[in-house]
Amino acid sequence: MTQVKCDLLIVGAGPAGMSAAIEARAAGLDVVVADEGNAPGGQIYRDAAQSPLADATVLGDDYLAGRALIERFAGSGAKHLARCVVWQVAFEDGRVIAMLTRKPHDERGGTLEVTARAVLIATGAQERPWPVQGWTLPGVMGIGAAQTLLKSSGLAPSQDAVLAGSGPLLWLFASQLLKARRRVCAIVDTTPSHAWRTALPHALPALAGADYLLKGVRMMRAVKQAGTPIHRGACAFSIEGDGRAESVRFVDASGAQHVIRTSLVLLHQGVIPSTQLPRSLGCEHEWDAPSACWRPRTDARGRSSVERVWIAGDGAGIGGAIAAMHAGTLAALDIARELGALDAATRDARNRPAVRAMKRHLAVRPLLDALYTPPAALRRPADGVIVCRCEEVSAGEIRGIAALGCQGPNQMKAFSRCGMGPCQGRWCGTTVSELIAQVQQRSVGDVGYYRIRAPIKPVTIDEIADSIALDDDFTRGEFPS
């Protein structure tokens, strides 16, 4: 096992993590950035520095803008650990101790122990699970996963792909495919027809982020002008097929029923904060009703409820890449102040530009939340739909156990194994909480979430064993001993 010491450990090399590393290094801190990707950038700027696409402009100006941030990060002097899975973070004598496994194993890989004075969690967001009939069939995946393939490998989906769901990424990916000269079979938009009326009160404040809104309008117009069939206000959506996806069935806003033949269905219902790591550290979380997701409790500088732990970027609340970048800057400045590298006056002076920029970029979020947060009917599936993909537990089983008086997701886990698979609840946790709340007529915040324990990512016994320091007089016993 290799041991590394630093002032600040940053988990995640997306916009928030890179910006924080740049600012922390400028303040004189020794910084280590651990990330699962092959190169810095996170999901939004994945492989932006060296895209496999012959023409990366198809991904848009916002994607290409990430190259400047990546270059600044590369020149910051922060130690970047690529292909690293952080599977445990603990505290000892006021220090943060993290266990990482670097993959693939080579002379630079294996298990690492990083000891730091503070940790910044910048793990970003994950796609919101959308359990529908047939979502476990081969030929069904998330739009975010499909976009990852396009960015990292230059692989575009087949010409008969149906994009279904709601949210900005739905339209962004469709427009990127069209720029790449790929055809989209159809877009099935589940945004309720009344959502615009709900969002209207937020329209005036959102004008502070008018450039963001104009980008969205242009994307929608481009998709429409390309002749892509668009079915709005869709409901009763399901995926059908014998052994793999063969068609989608839904009802549009007019009440007409549709069946579209397809071999590839790409689903999306927005993104939610990735909360596994901060939960494992005991950071307090709250249910964000307007966004219908869990988020950690943090102050304006990203400081969590746990000492020496900061959270920045979409992992603290969805705000987009630019807002995440400024959030990383604010967190790094606060950490530098906490560790004695800056005084309060210098921190506050450097804060001001980032605070102003964040306010402008977040102005549009209430409008987007009102418009694109899926209604309860889409978040709480019918009884026959699989919710926990790992253990194949259906919504009906969860509702049945909840009706018996099961008090929360942790007890549900014991009764049904829901959340005990390789994803460790990432793909079922939010839905399980909502289903229990629905049956018992409680608030989701009262129901709670899974208790997350290390290892927070799947690791082998060999990797765990490699992290254990052995005394010189250790002798291996026989099994059973």
Side-chain angles (χ1 to χ4, degrees):
M1 177 178 67
T2 303
Q3 295 181 320
V4 178
K5 292 185 178 180
C6 63
D7 293 317
L8 172 62
L9 169 64
I10 299 174
V11 183
M18 289 190 291
S19 295
I22 293 166
E23 200 67 45
R25 285 293 300 140
L29 298 182
D30 185 16
V31 180
V32 170
V33 182
D35 186 67
E36 295 183 22
N38 293 320
Q43 171 60 14
I44 186 67
Y45 299 139
R46 185 179 296 274
D47 291 311
Q50 43 188 3
S51 174
L53 291 167
D55 181 11
T57 61
V58 301
L59 296 174
D61 293 338
D62 290 343
Y63 174 76
L64 298 177
R67 290 177 174 175
L69 180 61
I70 293 171
E71 288 175 4
R72 289 174 57 211
F73 170 68
S76 68
K79 184 177 179 61
H80 176 223
L81 301 176
R83 303 183 304 280
C84 270
V85 175
V86 178
W87 50 269
Q88 177 177 292
V89 178
F91 302 95
E92 183 179 301
D93 299 328
R95 300 172 301 161
V96 177
I97 299 178
M99 304 307 304
L100 293 68
T101 294
R102 194 167 191 177
K103 299 179 179 181
H105 286 184
D106 54 25
E107 67 276 5
R108 298 169 299 167
T111 300
L112 294 83
E113 179 186 276
V114 178
T115 302
R117 298 166 64 196
V119 61
L120 171 62
I121 300 172
T123 48
Q126 66 170 68
E127 283 194 272
R128 181 192 299 274
W130 183 23
V132 294
Q133 191 66 47
W135 77 312
T136 60
L137 287 171
V140 183
M141 64 192 302
I143 285 180
Q147 190 188 51
T148 295
L149 287 173
L150 182 63
K151 290 179 177 178
S152 62
S153 303
L155 298 176
S158 58
Q159 300 280 13
D160 69 339
V162 171
L163 279 57
S166 182
L169 184 59
L170 182 82
W171 300 97
L172 172 61
F173 189 59
S175 66
Q176 288 173 338
L177 291 180
L178 292 172
K179 288 179 182 177
R181 299 185 179 181
R182 304 289 289 190
R183 186 177 69 89
V184 177
C185 178
I187 290 180
V188 181
D189 186 358
T190 61
T191 305
S193 55
H194 60 76
W196 287 103
R197 292 195 300 273
T198 306
L200 193 58
H202 305 288
L204 189 59
L207 291 178
D211 54 339
Y212 190 94
L213 297 174
L214 288 173
K215 290 176 187 176
V217 171
R218 292 191 195 103
M219 287 188 297
M220 290 182 174
R221 184 187 300 135
V223 173
K224 184 176 180 180
Q225 290 176 345
T228 304
I230 301 171
H231 305 274
R232 299 188 183 276
C235 61
F237 181 86
S238 64
I239 305 163
E240 301 175 345
D242 184 10
R244 66 160 295 113
E246 296 174 352
S247 64
V248 296
R249 183 184 296 271
F250 61 93
V251 177
D252 67 17
S254 69
Q257 295 192 16
H258 297 264
V259 176
I260 301 175
R261 300 286 298 178
T262 177
S263 64
L264 179 61
V265 184
L266 304 179
L267 302 177
H268 185 72
Q269 286 291 353
V271 295
I272 58 177
S274 176
T275 63
Q276 297 291 100
L277 181 53
R279 281 186 181 279
S280 74
L281 297 176
C283 297
E284 293 179 2
H285 286 69
E286 60 189 358
W287 178 253
D288 184 347
S291 302
C293 65
W294 293 98
R295 61 185 295 172
R297 286 197 175 104
T298 62
D299 67 10
R301 296 186 176 97
R303 191 182 293 247
S304 77
S305 62
V306 175
E307 189 177 0
R308 304 274 170 170
V309 178
W310 283 256
I311 309 169
D314 280 351
I318 306 303
I322 304 301
M325 184 176 69
H326 295 302
T329 296
L330 293 175
L333 289 169
D334 195 48
I335 293 168
R337 168 68 184 91
E338 182 71 20
L339 299 185
L342 293 177
D343 58 38
T346 302
R347 177 200 62 188
D348 294 344
R350 294 185 184 178
N351 270 348
R352 292 186 188 106
V355 170
R356 287 194 298 268
M358 266 196 74
K359 184 178 180 180
R360 186 172 70 84
H361 283 284
L362 293 177
V364 73
R365 293 313 309 181
L367 174 69
L368 296 180
D369 287 342
L371 189 58
Y372 291 126
T373 297
L378 288 175
R379 306 194 312 264
R380 302 168 183 177
D383 284 352
V385 175
I386 294 293
V387 170
C388 176
R389 299 169 63 105
C390 300
E391 300 294 332
E392 297 186 340
V393 183
S394 70
E397 292 175 79
I398 294 168
R399 286 191 174 99
I401 295 171
L404 295 175
C406 173
Q407 290 301 297
N410 293 302
Q411 194 174 36
M412 181 68 68
K413 183 188 294 185
F415 289 170
S416 66
R417 291 190 56 83
C418 199
M420 295 183 72
C423 89
Q424 297 171 289
R426 287 172 177 83
W427 281 101
C428 66
T430 302
T431 307
V432 168
S433 296
E434 289 214 62
L435 290 176
I436 295 174
Q438 179 190 31
V439 171
Q440 299 179 356
Q441 297 185 343
R442 298 162 60 194
S443 69
V444 182
D446 179 51
V447 169
Y449 192 81
Y450 292 129
R451 185 178 300 110
I452 306 300
R453 298 189 177 103
I456 59 173
K457 288 287 182 75
V459 290
T460 65
I461 295 296
D462 177 61
E463 290 163 348
I464 294 176
D466 191 33
S467 70
I468 301 173
L470 302 177
D471 297 331
D472 293 337
D473 60 351
F474 172 82
T475 57
R476 187 178 298 278
E478 297 298 321
F479 182 81
S481 58

